[in-house]
Amino acid sequence: MDDGSDCFGRSGEFFNPVLTMGAQVSCLLVISHFFQLLLKPLGQPAPLAQILAGFVLGPSCLSHIDSVRTFFFYNSAEYYETMALYARIIIMYLIGLEIDFPYLRRNLRVATVIACGSSFICTIFAIAVTSFIYEETGAQGSTVMMTLTLAIILCNTASPFVTCLAHDLKFANSDLGRLAISSSLVADTYAVFLLIILSTSKRDFGFSDWLVRGILYLIIVITAIFLNINLADWLNRRQRNQKYLKNTELFALIAVLFVAATSLETMGISSIFACFILGALFPRGGKAARTLLIKLSYSVHNFVLPFYFGYSGFRADLTHINSFRYFAVVAIIILLSIGGKVTGTLAACFHLKIPMNEGVLLAFLMNLKGHVDLLALTIGVEDKVLSSQLFCNLMTAAVVINSLIWGPLIAYTVKREGDILGYKHIDFEKQCPESELKLLACVHSPRPVATMIGLIATCKGPDSVAISPYLMHLIELPEKNKTKNLLYHQKAEDELSDDDNYGGNDVVEINETVDIFCSETAVMIRQAKVVAPYATMFADVCEFAEDVRASIIILPFHKHQRIDGKLESGKEGIRITNQKVLLHAKCTVAILIDRGLTAGSMHTSTSGSLHHIAMLFFGGQDDREALGFSKRLGMHHRISLTVIRFLHKSVTTEHVEIDVDHKEEDVLMAIPSHESEADADNTVLTDFFNRFVTSGQAGYVMKHVENGEETATALRDMADMYTMFIVGKGSRCNSTLTTGISDWEECPELGRVGDFLASPDFELCGSVLVVQQHRSASADEDQ
């Protein structure tokens, strides 16, 4: 009987802390979501609510009550650090998966300058203030270790906090948001380097020991990367008709991560940087990456991050600030952190010629803390590197107070500086063709995917031009199932069932086409899926385009080509969606009339053929926009671009002013608001002629016609000469060049020329892209 009681008692000691900790974490999650609901109407980000929830539950507030303190601290406090370790591993891995790695690689120098500028000043401040903090906190032992700890606290920028806040405030995809995230990761790397020195200071390591550990670190990380790549490739090739990985397959990928991370932690080396690298170098194409992103995003944002941020607030104990001297210590640390980060970041931004208002917001974001700094304090106490518990308590309070200050301040600044971080569309007419292209292509079925992907490949131009393409699968939600919309999203993200009826086998076909393209070209296409009634689908498309800062939305035409070459009408809802996107989108919109897979073959690496594309220029803002977009295609080495300008017969060649002496910078300044359409047309054509025609990259042809009938004849003559035709939608105003081009206009959303090219009377082999420049709804109605 005694043996049974003893056994029961031991198992109670073993299980009770685990069950209690689960209840504690659940309580923390509930309160954090409660604070989030309260603060969201005020525009405050989720991390602030989560830190505040932990702060309220911690020893600074509710844990003063005996029952609450017993519930949260009895027998389970030591388990929190283990959970925080696992949370850090999975958070950094997800940040690596979500990071725009090509952007980080292109802008690594800029991010490093910003991070090093702020970290350098903070390190100087840490050295200067060490003796004062050492005396005021009654510390004993090495001042060097305290200097290292202070340097970590002042220099660290919490990359999870920056990333989560940028996504919550919807500027993560802006240039400033991506730069802030990249800079915070570099600053984290510096803090981790100092942390490794701090954590190994108690061990008597010689040069050979450091060398061995460095080699082991590299072996573990490289082995994990190799296993991840090969395991992901093998899983992607298994059961191709499966949309997502099964849970057991997903567990194998996560196991590689945790084995590598815990091995490094056992060696006494932080795994933060390694977890980020494992995520950043994970193969992007295939169902393995899709499954990881969907499942980890849901669990991390709803459970892991609230716990992680809540635990940082939970650790703060303001009761230790019980005198003016201790208050002065906390205030000095906060002020030094602010001064170092702001001064260093602004100096770096001045050197990089970043505008002052953007530099100030970057400096604010670099002040966010609560990541490596808290880990340094924990390791310092556990390894007895820091002998003063008071120092640890005061520094923890300073870190948490700093986060609670900067969260609302950044939210206010982002709201006030909406013109900097908001959606700023620059027309292709005024864009530099070497600038980064953000493109959103939409499909309703697998049929136009090949042509869409071929268009994406050619839009990139040369390899030096950056592109961020998105492919959105639009799925109709039947009227009778409208109430199940939220249920669908939950099922798609949580269960990822292959029995899901929405999208059916279309999803598998689209995924396979995208995966083949990614493997052949190394261009990552991010995918999204929208399930909505056709009546409201346009709003989802426009909102997503605004969130990702897309420069152009490419929509599929509502008709598709039959086997006999004729165009067959599809669902009327597709046409309605196109018309509403054209009206409401805040960027350039194009409609693709797909006539077969001729354009889809453009991306294949084995195809050495040259594709001929014609840009039909009649004049006006839409044609200028189409010309600006065509420049990008003309820079592709397998594209032969020809601009065909249609002019009235009364206009002779000498009346067409193309000044070959104009320079590109003069062209951008030569389009005042009062300038006539004809002069604006000549200006952009002059730029195009000087840049592309004289260098042999593109052709330029002028065709003189009398009326719409002659225009139609000219278009018929060139029908078999080109793979694709690009034309501006054009206004509804009468033009002698297009009036009477066809007997009647079937699709006004394509414009007169686009409607003629898509009509059954026009025998055409190539696809057609109709481009509309962004304009306000009122302007569109006036035309």
Side-chain angles (χ1 to χ4, degrees):
M1 185 73 179
D2 292 340
D3 292 342
S5 299
D6 184 58
C7 181
F8 179 82
R10 286 176 184 168
S11 41
E13 289 177 1
F14 177 77
F15 283 106
N16 281 344
V18 176
L19 296 175
T20 304
M21 185 177 60
Q24 294 162 358
V25 171
S26 300
C27 183
L28 181 62
L29 292 176
V30 169
I31 295 179
S32 68
H33 283 294
F34 172 74
F35 275 108
Q36 193 171 341
L37 290 174
L38 289 180
L39 296 176
K40 192 172 182 179
L42 302 177
Q44 299 304 319
L48 177 67
Q50 293 153 5
I51 294 173
L52 189 60
F55 183 78
V56 169
L57 284 175
S60 299
C61 293
L62 293 181
S63 288
H64 277 297
I65 304 172
D66 291 338
S67 58
V68 176
R69 183 170 62 251
T70 302
F71 176 72
F72 277 103
F73 289 96
Y74 180 72
N75 270 351
S76 60
E78 62 271 16
Y79 290 88
Y80 289 140
E81 280 302 323
T82 303
M83 286 193 64
L85 168 63
Y86 294 148
R88 271 194 303 272
I89 291 172
I90 206 70
I91 289 170
M92 294 308 298
Y93 186 64
L94 180 61
I95 290 176
L97 284 171
E98 292 180 337
I99 192 71
D100 189 347
F101 197 67
Y103 176 88
L104 177 61
R105 188 171 59 246
R106 293 193 309 270
N107 296 274
L108 184 59
R109 186 189 73 84
V110 177
T112 302
V113 170
I114 293 173
C116 290
S118 61
S119 298
F120 175 76
I121 302 296
C122 288
T123 302
I124 298 299
F125 285 172
I127 295 171
V129 80
T130 296
S131 58
F132 171 76
I133 302 296
Y134 191 87
E135 292 179 4
E136 293 300 320
T137 57
Q140 297 178 354
S142 174
T143 56
V144 175
M145 294 301 103
M146 179 169 283
T147 302
L148 276 175
T149 306
L150 288 172
I152 294 171
I153 292 171
L154 296 181
C155 295
N156 176 236
T157 299
S159 54
F161 201 166
V162 174
T163 303
C164 192
L165 187 142
H167 280 94
D168 268 21
L169 299 178
K170 293 191 174 181
F171 68 93
N173 288 303
S174 67
D175 289 338
L176 187 64
R178 292 187 295 175
L179 182 58
I181 293 172
S182 302
S183 301
S184 68
L185 288 167
V186 177
D188 261 354
T189 304
Y190 174 69
V192 168
F193 173 74
L194 297 181
L195 179 65
I196 293 173
I197 299 176
L198 177 69
S199 60
T200 56
S201 60
K202 275 291 184 180
R203 304 173 180 88
D204 189 16
F205 285 162
F207 176 77
S208 58
D209 296 320
W210 280 104
L211 182 62
V212 169
R213 286 176 178 270
I215 293 173
L216 286 175
Y217 182 93
L218 290 176
I219 290 174
I220 291 173
V221 173
I222 292 173
T223 302
I225 293 172
F226 177 80
L227 286 175
N228 255 338
I229 293 174
N230 287 275
L231 185 58
D233 182 61
W234 179 70
L235 290 173
N236 287 334
R237 285 185 279 108
R238 288 182 75 244
Q239 299 180 356
R240 291 187 179 275
N241 61 340
Q242 185 178 311
K243 295 179 189 177
Y244 303 103
L245 296 183
K246 297 178 180 178
N247 289 334
T248 52
E249 296 169 333
L250 187 66
F251 176 78
L253 291 171
I254 299 297
V256 173
L257 167 69
F258 274 91
V259 169
T262 52
S263 299
L264 293 175
E265 295 287 345
T266 304
M267 291 167 52
I269 301 176
S270 175
S271 62
I272 290 176
F273 182 70
C275 293
F276 168 75
I277 290 296
L278 285 175
L281 297 182
F282 191 88
R284 289 299 194 270
K287 58 191 173 188
R290 277 191 292 271
T291 309
L292 276 173
L293 278 171
I294 294 175
K295 280 216 167 184
L296 291 185
S297 295
Y298 182 82
S299 58
V300 167
H301 289 290
N302 287 278
F303 302 105
V304 180
L305 279 174
F307 165 77
Y308 190 69
F309 289 133
Y311 178 57
S312 64
F314 186 78
R315 293 180 55 176
D317 188 358
L318 299 188
T319 58
H320 293 284
I321 311 176
N322 52 14
S323 66
F324 177 78
R325 58 188 291 192
Y326 295 154
F327 173 80
V329 169
V330 173
I332 287 172
I333 292 298
I334 294 175
L335 291 175
L336 288 179
S337 174
I338 295 172
K341 289 291 185 180
V342 171
T343 304
T345 303
L346 289 180
C349 290
F350 178 79
H351 171 72
L352 296 168
K353 298 181 179 179
I354 295 176
M356 177 63 69
N357 49 3
E358 296 183 16
V360 170
L361 185 54
L362 269 175
F364 287 0
L365 288 165
M366 295 296 286
N367 264 288
L368 294 173
K369 299 188 181 299
H371 186 40
V372 182
D373 38 19
L374 293 179
L375 179 60
L377 292 171
T378 301
I379 291 177
V381 172
E382 289 180 352
D383 293 352
K384 298 182 180 179
V385 174
L386 304 174
S387 59
S388 173
Q389 184 65 43
L390 177 62
F391 169 79
C392 180
N393 292 332
L394 293 179
M395 294 303 104
T396 302
V399 168
V400 174
I401 293 172
N402 181 84
S403 298
L404 292 175
I405 292 173
W406 283 107
L409 186 58
I410 291 172
Y412 169 76
T413 306
V414 169
K415 186 177 181 180
R416 192 191 67 179
E417 301 291 340
D419 55 333
I420 300 176
L421 299 172
Y423 187 45
K424 295 181 294 184
H425 173 67
I426 301 176
D427 296 329
F428 284 102
E429 177 185 349
K430 303 172 185 177
Q431 272 188 27
C432 173
E434 286 85 6
S435 61
E436 182 183 11
L437 174 63
K438 294 181 179 180
L439 179 150
L440 173 61
C442 301
V443 295
H444 294 268
S445 67
R447 187 179 292 110
V449 172
T451 304
M452 283 287 189
I453 287 180
L455 187 58
I456 289 173
T458 53
C459 288
K460 185 180 185 299
D463 293 335
S464 58
V465 177
I467 184 171
S468 298
Y470 296 83
L471 184 70
M472 176 176 281
H473 185 191
L474 306 178
I475 304 171
E476 179 191 9
L477 181 66
E479 295 289 331
K480 62 181 180 180
N481 292 335
K482 277 186 179 179
T483 56
K484 299 181 181 179
N485 197 10
L486 293 178
L487 177 62
Y488 158 73
H489 284 294
Q490 184 179 2
K491 184 176 182 180
E493 293 185 345
D494 293 353
E495 300 174 17
L496 301 177
S497 172
D498 281 333
D499 296 327
D500 194 306
N501 293 324
Y502 295 102
N505 292 327
D506 287 357
V507 176
V508 178
E509 293 183 44
I510 293 172
N511 289 346
E512 187 172 358
T513 307
V514 171
D515 294 342
I516 292 172
F517 170 79
C518 293
S519 63
E520 289 182 352
T521 64
V523 175
M524 175 60 187
I525 297 180
R526 296 170 178 84
Q527 293 178 254
K529 184 165 68 173
V530 167
V531 179
Y534 281 131
T536 60
M537 188 177 286
F538 76 96
D540 294 320
V541 174
C542 294
E543 183 181 357
F544 186 84
E546 189 173 348
D547 287 344
V548 301
R549 268 64 176 179
S551 299
I552 184 171
I553 302 172
I554 302 179
L555 302 167
F557 192 41
H558 67 277
K559 295 183 179 181
H560 58 270
Q561 191 176 35
R562 299 184 313 203
I563 298 177
D564 60 2
K566 300 294 183 181
L567 289 178
E568 180 182 2
S569 293
K571 294 182 178 180
E572 184 64 20
I574 299 176
R575 183 181 183 184
I576 294 172
T577 299
N578 291 349
Q579 292 171 339
K580 289 185 176 180
V581 172
L582 284 167
L583 185 63
H584 295 281
K586 296 182 179 180
C587 64
T588 300
V589 181
I591 295 180
L592 176 66
I593 298 103
D594 180 18
R595 291 182 179 270
L597 302 181
T598 52
S601 63
M602 294 178 187
H603 74 270
T604 56
S605 57
T606 57
S607 174
S609 60
L610 191 66
H611 295 270
H612 298 272
I613 294 180
M615 191 274 137
L616 308 178
F617 193 95
F618 292 87
Q621 61 178 3
D622 289 341
D623 279 357
R624 294 195 297 270
E625 189 74 357
L627 178 64
F629 182 73
S630 300
K631 292 177 185 178
R632 294 179 176 271
L633 278 68
M635 295 170 63
H636 196 280
H637 64 283
R638 291 199 185 126
I639 297 298
S640 174
L641 175 66
T642 302
V643 173
I644 304 172
R645 186 180 189 184
F646 286 80
L647 296 166
H648 197 270
K649 282 184 177 180
S650 61
V651 181
T652 59
T653 304
E654 48 270 16
H655 288 103
V656 181
E657 300 177 358
I658 294 184
D659 185 2
V660 296
D661 293 327
H662 263 102
K663 294 183 180 178
E664 184 174 353
E665 56 266 26
D666 298 329
V667 173
L668 296 179
M669 299 297 294
I671 311 179
S673 58
H674 62 272
E675 192 175 36
S676 68
E677 288 291 314
D679 291 338
D681 294 341
N682 289 332
T683 301
V684 297
L685 284 170
T686 296
D687 174 36
F688 178 81
F689 192 92
N690 292 333
R691 172 76 185 275
F692 295 94
V693 179
T694 56
S695 64
Q697 288 181 272
Y700 180 80
V701 177
M702 287 188 292
K703 284 194 175 292
H704 292 82
V705 294
E706 183 70 32
N707 49 41
E709 292 181 3
E710 292 190 12
T711 300
T713 302
L715 291 174
R716 287 191 178 96
D717 291 340
M718 64 181 74
D720 298 329
M721 297 170 58
Y722 299 99
T723 302
M724 176 178 283
F725 290 86
I726 302 176
V727 64
K729 175 189 172 186
S731 66
R732 299 176 187 172
C733 300
N734 291 326
S735 171
T736 56
L737 299 180
T738 57
T739 300
I741 195 173
S742 60
D743 296 334
W744 59 288
E745 193 176 18
E746 182 183 359
C747 302
E749 67 269 20
L750 299 180
R752 289 181 178 174
V753 179
D755 180 69
F756 175 71
L757 295 175
S759 66
D761 300 331
F762 189 73
E763 298 292 337
L764 183 65
C765 297
S767 299
V768 180
L769 188 70
V770 181
V771 180
Q772 175 189 275
Q773 189 179 70
H774 167 62
R775 58 178 70 111
S776 63
S778 59
D780 192 59
E781 290 171 0
D782 292 338
Q783 292 183 347

